[in-house]
């Protein structure tokens, strides 16, 4: 038997043995629109899984002031900013992004006049819409919990919800958790918690 064949047989065996552990809860990978696992060193566009809910995720200049809000493009045109995911806890040499685990979400390749970080952050309960908006900036609180989101599976493969519930960051905290959805305001689309959940997909930037 050639060395090459032996190596690929070993790999196939290893995959057979290793794969079942990945299907355990909390260890499943988040998949992109091609069915490949999301990786922390790649960039992805986030967009709604169903039409008529807006285009790609982007930064919204709400009311001409900083910080910028997280929202969606009003059009299906290829606009918006890609994001990068940084897991809160990760093993060495492990680049894959997993479901139901705390992670930072950060817009990349952004040019904006606001000096804040482009990391997603839980904003305040907005009095005009009665929902907690998502803004950008660094949470300088004790745990930075406001900067950690998670990706939840839906009943459909490769379609997810985005949730704020950073229990890995602070297991003893009692959060009022919430799942992200959209709010329309004066022709813009904001991303906010506490309404109906928006199913999303992740599209690798270089596709
Ligand atoms: C928008 O800005 C105006 C003027 O600065 C202010 O009065 C108003 O409350 C702001 N609206 C929101 C929703 O922030
Ligand atoms: C949205 O429009 C309404 C009415 O024109 C205005 O009162 C309100 O301040 C606007 N809100 C923002 C955030 O621009
Ligand atoms: C946000 O405020 C609304 C009232 O404007 C309230 O009904 C809701 O419970 C608040 N949400 C949270 C998470 O505190
Ligand atoms: C998910 O699948 C169900 C049926 O299994 C379907 O009715 C629903 O529209 C799907 N949702 C999305 C966002 O594709």
């Amino acid at each position: 038997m050639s060395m090459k064949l032996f190596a690929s047989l070993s790999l196939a065996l290893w995959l057979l043995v290793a794969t079942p552990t990945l299907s355990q809860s909390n260890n499943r990978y988040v998949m992109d629109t091609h069915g490949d696992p999301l990786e922390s060193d790649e960039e992805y566009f986030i967009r709604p899984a169903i039409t008529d809910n807006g285009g790609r995720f982007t930064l919204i200049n709400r009311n001409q002031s900083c910080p910028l809000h997280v929202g969606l493009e009003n059009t299906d045109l290829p606009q918006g900013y890609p994001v990068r995911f940084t897991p809160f806890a990760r093993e060495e040499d492990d680049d894959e992004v997993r479901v139901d685990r705390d992670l930072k979400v950060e817009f990349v390749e952004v040019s904006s006049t606001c000096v804040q970080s482009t990391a997603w952050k839980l904003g305040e309960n907005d009095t005009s819409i009665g929902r907690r908006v998502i803004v950008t900036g660094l949470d300088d609180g004790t745990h930075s919990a406001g900067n950690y989101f998670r990706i939840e599976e839906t009943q459909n493969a490769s379609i997810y919800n985005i949730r704020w519930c950073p229990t890995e960051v602070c297991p003893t905290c009692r959060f009022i958790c919430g799942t992200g959805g959209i709010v329309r305001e004066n022709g813009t689309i904001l991303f906010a918690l506490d309404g109906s959940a928006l199913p999303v997909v992740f599209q690798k930037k270089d596709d």
Side-chain angles (χ1 to χ4, degrees):
M1 186 158 53
S2 82
M3 205 54 209
K4 217 167 177 178
L5 179 61
F6 178 74
S8 50
L9 274 178
S10 317
L11 180 66
L13 262 179
W14 181 83
L15 283 175
L16 271 179
V17 174
T19 305
T21 63
L22 299 179
S23 60
Q24 279 162 18
S25 108
N26 268 21
N27 223 0
R28 279 194 292 276
Y29 297 143
V30 179
M31 299 297 185
D32 68 13
T33 47
H34 276 282
D36 297 323
L38 260 58
E39 292 177 21
S40 54
D41 52 1
E42 297 284 350
E43 298 174 6
Y44 298 89
F45 291 107
I46 310 178
R47 54 179 177 81
I50 36 188
T51 53
D52 299 328
N53 283 277
R56 291 169 168 180
F57 277 55
T58 192
L59 284 162
I60 305 284
N61 186 343
R62 189 183 183 209
N63 213 10
Q64 306 299 319
S65 64
C66 298
L68 297 173
H69 283 62
V70 176
L72 282 71
E73 293 286 347
N74 239 325
T75 121
D76 283 336
L77 295 174
Q79 296 168 358
Y81 296 109
V83 300
R84 195 177 284 145
F85 301 100
T86 310
F88 170 71
R90 53 170 273 207
E91 271 103 76
E92 248 175 285
D93 302 328
D94 184 2
D95 292 332
E96 277 86 10
V97 174
R98 293 180 163 81
V99 300
D100 294 332
R101 303 286 292 271
D102 293 342
L103 44 83
K104 270 190 181 168
V105 188
E106 189 175 4
F107 283 117
V108 289
E109 298 173 17
V110 173
S111 57
S112 106
T113 51
C114 293
V115 292
Q116 273 100 350
S117 156
T118 54
W120 293 19
K121 176 182 150 187
L122 178 67
E124 57 190 24
N125 192 358
D126 191 283
T127 47
S128 65
I129 53 181
R131 292 170 61 178
R132 289 174 290 170
V133 290
I134 306 299
V135 296
T136 50
L138 288 182
D139 178 4
D140 44 21
T142 334
H143 301 289
S144 302
N147 280 132
Y148 285 94
F149 295 81
R150 45 180 61 200
I151 299 171
E152 272 192 336
E153 290 176 309
T154 65
Q155 58 187 5
N156 304 27
S158 298
I159 298 182
Y160 300 89
N161 289 137
I162 298 176
R163 187 166 167 77
W164 181 79
C165 197
T167 54
E168 253 188 301
V169 172
C170 180
T172 55
C173 294
R174 291 171 146 239
F175 297 112
I176 305 172
C177 297
T179 305
I182 59 172
V183 182
R184 287 176 195 271
E185 178 188 74
N186 293 359
T188 64
I189 307 175
L190 299 174
F191 192 58
L193 307 183
D194 311 323
S196 46
L198 177 73
V200 297
V201 295
F202 305 102
Q203 180 190 359
K204 198 167 174 178
K205 191 197 146 204
D206 298 324
D207 281 353

